[in-house]
Amino acid sequence: MRKYGQHFLISPQVIEAIVSAVPQSTADLVEIGPGRGALTEELLQKNFPSFTLVEIDPAMRDVLLQKFPQLQGHIVLADFLTFDLDTLPPRPTFFVSNLPYIDAADILDKVLSWPHFAGAVFMFQKEQAQRILASVRQEGYGPISILTQLRARPRRLLRVGRACFNPPPKVESMVLTFEPLPAVLTPAEYARFARLVRASFAHKRKTLFNSLVLSGWDKERVTDALARAGVAPAARAQEISLEKFLEIHRLLS
C-alpha cells in the first residue's frame, strides 16, 4: 500500500497540535496529501464549510472514501505541484499538510505564491524547517529563508520525532505555521527577485558581486547597485538581509 515515499503520521498528540493550529474561522481548507486520513479524520470534526483534499495516490483516495464517504466529491486526484489552484474558489484559503519531504520546498513556494493564500500548517524535515526560519548570518540562511519570509511569517509549532510515523523516517521533522504578509512585489517582480536571490547563493565560496556576475548580471550594473545599497564589495550572500536584497533588486531593475 505504501507508495510515493509516504510516512504515515500516527501520533495523536502531533495530530491534535496540527489540527488545533488551523483557525476555527477558516472557511476554505485544503489538505495536501492526506494519505490514510490521520489529519483528515480530526479536520472533519471541525466542520469547515469548504474542505478539499489533493491526493496523488489512487489507492489512498480509495482508502479515504471507504473511511469517510462524506468526502465524495471533495478529493482531487492529482499531484499538487501540477494541480491548478485557480480551480479552487477565489477566496482566502488555508492549507494543511504533512508534506512529502522531497517536494516540500516547491509546494511551499506554490502555496505562498497563490494570491488567495490565507495561512498554512505544514510539516517539514527538521533541517529544512530550520532553513525556512533562519535569519541573516544564521546557519542555513539562504533562498528558502528569504523567499518564504518575503511572503509569510513562519513560526515553529512543534518538533516531531521519528517514532511519530509508520514507517519511521530516517530524520526528525518540525511543524511550522505560516501567516501571510502583504505582497510587496508583483508576480513578475517576484520571479526576477527569486532569480536574483538564488543566483546570489549559487556560488557559496564567492562574494555576492562575483556570484551575480557569474550568473549573467552586468559587472558595472552590479558594482553600481551594491555601492548605492551600501553593500561592501567583499560581502557574501549570507550576510545580506531580506530588506537589503529587495533594495539591490530594485536598483538592478
Side-chain angles (χ1 to χ4, degrees):
M1 185 72 75
R2 179 175 173 260
K3 294 166 63 179
Y4 304 104
Q6 295 140 308
H7 297 277
F8 298 107
L9 185 60
I10 58 173
S11 166
Q13 293 79 14
V14 174
I15 292 168
E16 181 181 0
I18 293 173
V19 172
S20 296
V22 180
Q24 190 61 50
S25 59
T26 296
D28 291 73
L29 179 68
V30 172
E31 184 182 1
I32 304 167
R36 293 173 178 163
L39 289 174
T40 309
E41 183 171 12
E42 296 303 316
L43 290 168
L44 284 169
Q45 303 303 313
K46 299 285 187 176
N47 295 313
F48 296 108
S50 174
F51 187 16
T52 301
L53 300 90
V54 183
E55 173 58 54
I56 192 173
D57 188 346
M60 290 298 101
R61 177 201 54 186
D62 294 344
V63 168
L64 289 166
L65 288 175
Q66 197 168 33
K67 290 174 67 175
F68 315 111
Q70 66 268 43
L71 287 176
Q72 185 71 46
H74 294 269
I75 303 177
V76 177
L77 186 63
D79 179 345
F80 185 80
L81 289 176
T82 60
F83 173 61
D84 184 2
L85 286 174
D86 288 334
T87 60
L88 297 173
R91 300 188 295 259
T93 302
F94 199 94
F95 295 82
V96 62
S97 181
N98 167 22
L99 292 175
Y101 292 150
I102 192 169
D103 293 324
D106 291 334
I107 292 173
L108 176 63
D109 184 66
K110 179 173 182 171
V111 166
L112 295 182
S113 294
W114 196 49
H116 305 293
F117 167 71
V121 186
F122 286 155
M123 187 184 300
F124 300 86
Q125 182 177 333
K126 184 186 71 174
E127 288 75 15
Q128 188 170 53
Q130 290 171 332
R131 289 195 293 271
I132 290 169
L133 295 170
S135 299
V136 62
R137 295 186 177 86
Q138 287 185 341
E139 183 180 356
Y141 178 72
I144 196 170
S145 322
I146 295 163
L147 298 177
T148 297
Q149 294 171 31
L150 171 71
R151 297 170 291 171
R153 184 174 290 110
R155 293 188 175 93
R156 171 178 164 167
L157 183 65
L158 75 159
R159 190 166 167 173
V160 183
R162 292 186 285 269
C164 295
F165 299 89
N166 182 31
K170 296 179 180 179
V171 296
E172 292 190 333
S173 304
M174 188 180 292
V175 179
L176 303 181
T177 63
F178 298 85
E179 176 188 349
L181 294 174
V184 297
L185 299 174
T186 66
E189 289 170 339
Y190 172 76
R192 292 193 294 270
F193 179 74
R195 176 175 173 259
L196 170 73
V197 171
R198 291 179 179 127
S200 299
F201 286 88
H203 306 275
K204 292 184 178 180
R205 300 180 187 276
K206 301 289 186 181
T207 64
L208 174 62
F209 172 84
N210 285 333
S211 291
L212 292 178
V213 171
L214 286 169
S215 298
W217 273 266
D218 177 75
K219 278 187 179 182
E220 291 186 4
R221 290 186 63 202
V222 173
T223 299
D224 179 66
L226 296 185
R228 291 170 64 187
V231 175
R236 285 176 163 75
Q238 57 266 31
E239 302 170 322
I240 310 300
S241 68
L242 164 59
E243 293 74 21
K244 192 62 70 175
F245 266 116
L246 282 169
E247 186 177 354
I248 295 167
H249 161 73
R250 293 187 180 109
L251 289 167
L252 284 173
S253 297

